[in-house]
Amino acid sequence: MPETGLLDPASVRRIAAELDLRPTKQRGQNFVVDPNTVRRIVALSGIGADDVVLEIGPGLGSLTLGLLETGARVVAVEIEDRLAHRLERTVRERMGDDAAGRLAVVNADALEVSQLPGPPPSALVANLPYNVSVPVLLRMMELFPEWRTGLVMVQLEVADRLVAAPGSKVYGVPSAKVAWYAEATRVGTVPPKVFWPVPNVDSGLVRLVRRPAPDTTATREDTFRVIDAAFAQRRKMLRAALGSLAGSAAEASAAIADAGIDPQLRGEMLGVDSFAAIAERLAPRVP
């Protein structure tokens, strides 16, 4: 009798064995083997039948099947050839032709994708590999502004950074850059035991809700340049950290003060709106 429904530990291992797949740390491959965890993630995402979901790194299809179960369409971006080629078959075998017809697989590196097939995504739901989770997320937010909500599962330490507020010990570049696009909230944790292979750390679930970019004439690129410089030497005061961008500490100090910010503050105390305000004043001073 054919297996149906979501993947369990036995079916995950069977498909992996068929593909001669040995999960690698290099690609951060940890596959969810617990159907209840998949349904919890899907429920928290708020995905419905009208959605087009962008999924990054579907792997063996655990989360893909859960998303398709809602009636949504799924565009899955998978870098590994064997996994990409097997995914539609897995969906067809376990959920039938209708579900398979709502799936589009893009066999590519998410960091190199520039366009997607079909209608634009309305949501992003993904179990992101820990080693590329932040750059992938930022790229997907930049390239595909149509998606308005998201739920990502990342290593717990990364989750804490994504949602950190100014002044927090873990607030940094990821926190400030994600805030340009969206409000990020941690909505749960996931224990290692639901993955295969079992990782050494917990994972965190982060909900993303799009919001307007800061009200500024500064570009995103200029603002991100200021953020990068402010955290490159995070113990330095802003006037020193931004000196190389402005041409001197004095010019940086003047631009920061013009934005209504104390030049003696450190970058970890500023939100994305403040970084944008500095970038706006700094632009005319950049040689």
Side-chain angles (χ1 to χ4, degrees):
M1 182 175 178
E3 295 176 296
T4 60
L6 303 187
L7 297 179
D8 57 19
S11 51
V12 165
R13 286 178 173 81
R14 178 182 57 76
I15 297 172
E18 172 199 316
L19 298 175
D20 193 25
L21 178 71
R22 296 171 178 81
T24 67
K25 286 187 178 180
Q26 181 183 1
R27 288 190 172 163
Q29 291 175 321
N30 297 97
F31 304 117
V32 180
V33 297
D34 177 47
N36 289 330
T37 298
V38 169
R39 289 199 172 100
R40 176 183 167 217
I41 292 169
V42 173
L44 285 170
S45 74
I47 293 301
D50 294 333
D51 281 301
V52 177
V53 185
L54 172 57
E55 183 189 6
I56 306 299
L60 294 168
S62 299
L63 183 54
T64 313
L65 290 163
L67 293 167
L68 289 167
E69 200 173 53
T70 69
R73 298 177 63 86
V74 176
V75 180
V77 179
E78 173 57 57
I79 188 173
E80 178 109 15
D81 294 350
R82 288 173 295 174
L83 294 174
H85 296 154
R86 182 62 164 81
L87 187 57
E88 183 181 342
R89 177 181 151 198
T90 299
V91 170
R92 195 176 301 279
E93 288 174 348
R94 304 187 74 91
M95 288 190 167
D97 292 343
D98 173 72
R102 289 184 278 110
L103 171 68
V105 182
V106 178
N107 184 192
D109 184 343
L111 289 172
E112 297 178 1
V113 166
S114 59
Q115 58 185 1
L116 298 171
S122 59
L124 178 142
V125 183
N127 172 20
L128 295 177
Y130 70 90
N131 51 342
V132 293
S133 54
V134 172
V136 164
L137 178 58
L138 290 172
R139 181 174 172 82
M140 294 303 105
M141 298 182 103
E142 174 194 351
L143 284 186
F144 307 112
E146 300 88 355
W147 64 266
R148 312 309 303 167
T149 63
L151 188 80
V152 295
M153 180 161 58
V154 292
Q155 187 173 322
L156 191 58
E157 178 185 351
V158 175
D160 288 341
R161 289 177 180 170
L162 292 178
V163 306
S168 163
K169 288 182 179 180
V170 295
Y171 180 74
V173 171
S175 327
K177 288 184 176 180
V178 165
W180 174 275
Y181 301 102
E183 180 180 359
T185 309
R186 202 173 112 191
V187 293
T189 57
V190 179
K193 65 182 180 181
V194 305
F195 295 95
W196 174 76
V198 178
N200 298 322
V201 295
D202 286 355
S203 296
L205 299 173
V206 176
R207 176 180 290 132
L208 301 157
V209 179
R210 289 272 191 174
R211 63 184 177 196
D215 184 13
T216 177
T217 59
T219 65
R220 178 186 54 80
E221 291 83 0
D222 286 343
T223 302
F224 282 14
R225 199 173 295 121
V226 171
I227 292 170
D228 286 334
F231 287 101
Q233 302 176 73
R234 65 181 296 148
R235 302 314 302 166
K236 281 191 173 183
M237 290 183 285
L238 282 168
R239 65 185 183 189
L242 302 184
S244 60
L245 281 183
S248 70
E251 286 290 338
S253 187
I256 296 163
D258 284 350
I261 297 162
D262 183 354
Q264 298 187 69
L265 287 176
R266 294 186 174 93
E268 63 200 36
M269 302 307 297
L270 271 58
V272 69
D273 291 302
S274 295
F275 284 119
I278 293 172
E280 187 173 317
R281 273 75 176 183
L282 205 56
R285 291 177 162 86
V286 175

